[in-house]
Amino acid sequence: MERTFLMVKPDGVQRGLIGEIVSRFEKKGFKLIAAKLMTVSRELAEAHYAEHREKPFFEELVGFITSGPVFAMIWEGENVISVARQMMGKTNPADAAPGTIRGDYGISVGMNIIHGSDSPESAEREIKLWFREQDQISYEKTIDRWIY
Ligand code: IDP
């Protein structure tokens, strides 16, 4: 079963959207494997966004993600990486469809509420970066047989 790394960014936490976002993924049928409210060190922020190191907005990005608590999560389910990306909507909330998280709650690309891994490779890398093995909980849900 596939796993992905999702994070409510500091703007989403400040705006009280943790519950709403968790609820969307729960109702969809995905399974929560790990979650924590935390502040992000500069070191972790730079490692997480390493692929954007050369971009002009890199400093802004690192400054933003370290500016307040984030809610980091691992979710599991069939095709969860791509389905979560669809549920998040396009990177720029101006292009994100209504009904998606960014489409419903975001306005600017810098503060777009949520992060989600964009491929199996980045999901694997990000899960390792953000969570220790022993904090990832594998368990059965009886409801699963009504979802799959
Ligand atoms: P993604 O979060 O949808 O995967 P990426 O292209 O990986 O999008 O960019 C990472 C994050 O960098 C975005 O979520 C957004 O917050 C921020 N970002 C992307 N482009 C810009 C920009 O032009 N200005 C400021 N921030 C940006």
Side-chain angles (χ1 to χ4, degrees), residues 60-147:
E60 185 190 331
L61 193 52
V62 169
F64 169 58
I65 215 72
T66 56
S67 67
V70 303
F71 192 68
M73 301 164 278
I74 301 172
W75 286 87
E76 183 182 271
E78 221 166 84
N79 300 314
V80 67
I81 299 171
S82 65
V83 175
R85 293 283 298 186
Q86 288 176 46
M87 290 168 68
M88 289 161 51
K90 294 238 171 83
T91 303
N92 188 343
D95 303 324
T100 65
I101 293 164
R102 287 162 170 171
D104 285 350
Y105 301 118
I107 291 179
S108 73
V109 70
M111 295 200 192
N112 59 4
I113 319 278
I114 184 167
H115 166 83
S117 309
D118 62 4
S119 67
E121 295 70 33
S122 56
E124 195 186 338
R125 187 184 78 85
E126 291 169 4
I127 286 170
K128 273 210 194 98
L129 189 60
W130 289 81
F131 285 94
R132 301 180 307 171
E133 193 89 44
Q134 62 263 44
D135 294 330
Q136 302 174 32
I137 314 294
S138 293
Y139 60 105
E140 297 298 320
K141 284 172 86 181
T142 52
I143 194 76
D144 282 350
R145 75 183 185 94
W146 298 103
I147 294 171

Side-chain angles (χ1 to χ4, degrees), residues 3-117:
R3 289 184 177 184
T4 195
F5 172 72
L6 301 180
M7 166 177 50
V8 182
K9 295 183 180 182
D11 55 330
V13 173
Q14 291 296 327
R15 291 179 53 198
L17 292 172
I18 294 174
E20 165 67 24
I21 289 169
V22 169
S23 182
R24 287 189 181 209
F25 292 101
E26 276 189 312
K27 286 177 186 160
K28 177 74 175 165
F30 291 132
K31 188 192 286 182
L32 187 60
I33 298 298
K36 57 181 170 181
L37 184 71
M38 59 182 284
T39 52
V40 184
S41 66
R42 190 173 172 97
E43 186 188 9
L44 176 57
E46 287 184 356
H48 176 74
Y49 283 126
E51 67 171 306
H52 296 301
R53 198 174 292 274
E54 305 305 324
K55 305 264 174 67
F57 58 85
F58 182 70
E59 271 309 313
E60 185 190 331
L61 193 52
V62 169
F64 169 58
I65 215 72
T66 56
S67 67
V70 303
F71 192 68
M73 301 164 278
I74 301 172
W75 286 87
E76 183 182 271
E78 221 166 84
N79 300 314
V80 67
I81 299 171
S82 65
V83 175
R85 293 283 298 186
Q86 288 176 46
M87 290 168 68
M88 289 161 51
K90 294 238 171 83
T91 303
N92 188 343
D95 303 324
T100 65
I101 293 164
R102 287 162 170 171
D104 285 350
Y105 301 118
I107 291 179
S108 73
V109 70
M111 295 200 192
N112 59 4
I113 319 278
I114 184 167
H115 166 83
S117 309

